[in-house]
């Protein structure tokens, strides 16, 4: 059974639209990551379902039809609230999620353009256009909001650690590696036994498991090394076979590779137990990269460690707290203050003023 057939069975609406199925087939044949194909399929399926409800021919849709889809995404019920006042009101889909949902729709119309079935892309993208006002920048369909990543404060992190100490050894070593090596969820869950080099305390992050297909080697700390050694001894009681590093110990999937969703459930359980609800599988990555910045690492070094192709991505992860910025400002102001006082003290005394008194 082909991957496209599996996807059309999961989302039947894709099979009802010939061009959508053809587009997915092309992306699958190009060897895109299964999770990428799955996300694209879901996004396009949601759009096509909207088209069917509204009686819109997706091949002939225009920009007004796309805005109907955007409005639906912005007003969709969300676990954080029932009412939507704006795209970023805390209810409805988040701005970043809406951007992600529009990506497969835009790529679908790019495909239709290449096939000669359309003359323009109704989704479009923000791009530079010579001759336009405001610097020639054309806005995208949805304004992109760039926020600083959230990281836990000291007391929140201590509560997380207190709960994590009660977790099984597998979960504890996964949490330690996720922070130590700033690993993404898929990178962590995809680690294999031969990716670990205990002698040099390094991990090989294989290209096929990364977001941008860049392989890298990252170190982990001595403390994590001790924890990892304990886990490897425990893992041998579950399975002695080489392969995935982290194995399920549930009765249903015993000794099978640990899934992404199982790890997400573990992290969510820790978040609820510690009452730090914003803690997620990506928080440890945010925190690690931020700590590296606080220690004075250069931007390019952090980018290499994180596996970023461009430093622009790294800047989004580096989140310096207000206290850090206040300390930097205070140090700068102290220097400026000292300089100004010194300049005042060094002002030449006017001639004839020595020894004189004012009357």
């Amino acid at each position: 059974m082909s991957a496209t057939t599996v996807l059309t069975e999961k989302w039947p609406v894709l099979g009802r639209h010939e061009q959508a199925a053809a587009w997915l087939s092309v992306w699958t044949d190009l060897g895109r990551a299964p999770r990428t194909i799955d996300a694209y399929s879901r996004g396009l399926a949601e759009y096509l379902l909207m088209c069917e409800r509204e009686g819109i021919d997706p091949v002939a849709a225009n920009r007004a039809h796309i805005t109907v889809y955007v409005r639906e995404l912005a007003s969709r019920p969300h676990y954080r609230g029932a009412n939507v006042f704006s795209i970023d009101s805390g209810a409805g889909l988040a701005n970043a999620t809406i951007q992600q949902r529009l990506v497969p729709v835009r790529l679908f119309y790019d495909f239709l353009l290449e096939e000669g079935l359309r003359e323009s892309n109704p989704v479009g993208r923000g791009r530079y256009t010579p001759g336009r006002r405001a610097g020639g920048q054309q806005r995208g369909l949805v304004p992109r909001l760039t926020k600083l990543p959230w990281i836990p404060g000291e007391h929140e992190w201590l509560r997380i650690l207190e709960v994590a100490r009660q977790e099984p050894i597998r979960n504890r070593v996964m949490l330690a590696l996720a922070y130590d090596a700033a690993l993404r969820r898929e990178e962590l869950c995809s680690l294999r036994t031969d990716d670990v080099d205990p002698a040099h305390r390094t991990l090989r992050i294989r290209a096929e498991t990364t977001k941008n297909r860049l392989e890298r080697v990252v170190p982990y700390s001595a403390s994590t090394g001790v924890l990892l050694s304990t886990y490897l001894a425990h893992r041998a009681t579950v399975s002695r076979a080489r392969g995935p590093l982290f194995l399920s110990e549930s009765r249903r999937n015993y000794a099978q590779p640990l899934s992404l969703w199982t790890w997400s459930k573990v992290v969510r359980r820790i978040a609820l137990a510690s009452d730090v609800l914003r803690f997620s599988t990506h928080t440890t990555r945010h925190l690690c990269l931020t700590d590296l910045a606080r220690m004075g690492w250069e931007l390019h070094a952090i980018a290499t460690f994180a596996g970023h192709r461009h430093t622009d991505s790294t800047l989004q992860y580096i989140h310096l707290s207000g206290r850090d910025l206040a300390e930097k400002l205070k140090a700068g102001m102290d220097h400026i203050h000292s300089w100004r006082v010194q300049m005042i003290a060094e002002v030449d005394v006017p001639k004839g003023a020595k020894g004189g008194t004012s009357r």
Side-chain angles (χ1 to χ4, degrees):
M1 184 180 295
S2 68
T4 304
T5 303
V6 172
L7 292 171
T8 53
E9 288 182 354
K10 188 175 182 180
W11 290 287
V13 66
L14 299 175
R16 296 196 293 269
H17 294 268
E18 179 182 356
Q19 299 302 329
W23 175 74
L24 281 176
S25 180
V26 169
W27 278 89
T28 303
D29 292 341
L30 287 174
R32 293 298 188 270
R35 287 187 61 219
T36 299
I37 297 297
D38 191 73
Y40 284 177
S41 301
R42 176 185 176 181
L44 186 58
E46 290 182 347
Y47 171 68
L48 294 176
L49 286 172
M50 185 278 297
C51 288
E52 290 185 350
R53 288 194 302 270
E54 300 293 331
I56 301 169
D57 177 8
V59 176
N62 56 36
R63 197 171 181 85
H65 297 139
I66 302 298
T67 59
V68 172
Y69 179 54
V70 172
R71 184 174 68 247
E72 180 179 304
L73 292 176
S75 60
R76 182 173 297 176
H78 190 263
Y79 72 91
R80 288 183 180 174
N83 300 316
V84 176
F85 304 98
S86 67
I87 287 179
D88 191 42
S89 65
L93 296 184
N95 177 266
T97 305
I98 294 177
Q99 300 282 353
Q100 292 172 354
R101 293 288 195 275
L102 287 176
V103 168
V105 180
R106 185 177 66 240
L107 294 176
F108 173 62
Y109 283 111
D110 283 343
F111 170 75
L112 296 182
L113 276 170
E114 294 172 357
E115 295 295 307
L117 299 176
R118 288 187 62 96
E119 295 182 354
S120 63
N121 189 326
V123 181
R125 50 175 61 81
R127 60 186 183 275
Y128 177 77
T129 306
R132 293 182 63 88
R133 290 186 176 183
Q137 180 69 30
Q138 179 176 335
R139 292 185 177 181
L141 188 65
V142 176
R144 184 176 296 274
L145 305 178
T146 303
K147 293 185 175 181
L148 290 173
W150 175 82
I151 60 172
E154 183 178 350
H155 294 295
E156 292 172 317
W157 182 242
L158 290 176
R159 293 207 306 270
I160 292 169
L161 293 182
E162 184 178 353
V163 173
R165 289 192 189 99
Q166 309 305 316
E167 289 289 319
I169 183 64
R170 183 202 65 194
N171 297 344
R172 289 164 59 200
V173 75
M174 290 183 71
L175 190 64
L177 286 175
Y179 169 77
D180 240 2
L183 299 180
R184 301 179 178 96
R185 182 181 63 164
E186 186 167 1
E187 294 171 349
L188 176 66
C189 294
S190 300
L191 285 173
R192 299 177 62 84
T193 52
D194 55 356
D195 292 331
V196 182
D197 183 356
H200 298 91
R201 290 207 310 267
T202 59
L203 299 174
R204 180 173 68 98
I205 313 302
R206 287 169 285 117
E208 60 269 23
T209 69
T210 65
K211 185 177 180 180
N212 51 16
R213 298 301 183 259
L214 290 177
E215 184 169 307
R216 67 188 191 276
V217 176
V218 292
Y220 57 86
S221 66
S223 300
T224 299
V226 173
L227 203 61
L228 180 58
S229 296
T230 305
Y231 168 70
L232 291 175
H234 170 76
R235 183 187 181 280
T237 65
V238 179
S239 173
R240 292 186 176 275
R242 298 180 66 83
L245 179 60
F246 300 114
L247 303 177
S248 172
E249 297 181 36
S250 68
R251 287 183 296 176
R252 184 175 61 179
N253 300 310
Y254 192 78
Q256 296 299 308
L258 190 74
S259 70
L260 301 174
W261 317 119
T262 299
W263 176 237
S264 294
K265 290 178 181 177
V266 169
V267 172
R268 184 58 180 167
R269 183 176 68 239
I270 294 173
L272 293 173
S274 62
D275 196 27
V276 184
L277 302 184
R278 298 183 69 179
F279 181 64
S280 71
T281 56
H282 219 58
T283 300
T284 48
R285 180 172 167 86
H286 288 318
L287 184 59
C288 175
L289 298 181
T290 302
D291 286 345
L292 294 181
R294 286 169 169 167
M295 288 188 289
W297 277 41
E298 294 293 336
L299 181 61
H300 288 280
I302 298 176
T304 301
F305 185 86
H308 289 152
R309 194 179 295 274
H310 305 291
T311 56
D312 288 348
S313 300
T314 310
L315 287 171
Q316 296 179 8
Y317 285 87
I318 298 176
H319 172 68
L320 297 177
S321 69
R323 182 177 60 183
D324 297 323
L325 294 177
E327 290 175 354
K328 289 180 180 293
L329 178 62
K330 181 179 181 299
M333 290 304 293
D334 286 344
H335 173 74
I336 292 174
H337 178 76
S338 299
W339 172 77
R340 292 192 189 280
V341 171
Q342 182 180 3
M343 291 296 292
I344 293 173
E346 292 178 354
V347 171
D348 292 334
V349 179
K351 291 181 180 180
K354 291 183 179 181
T357 59
S358 57
R359 294 181 181 273

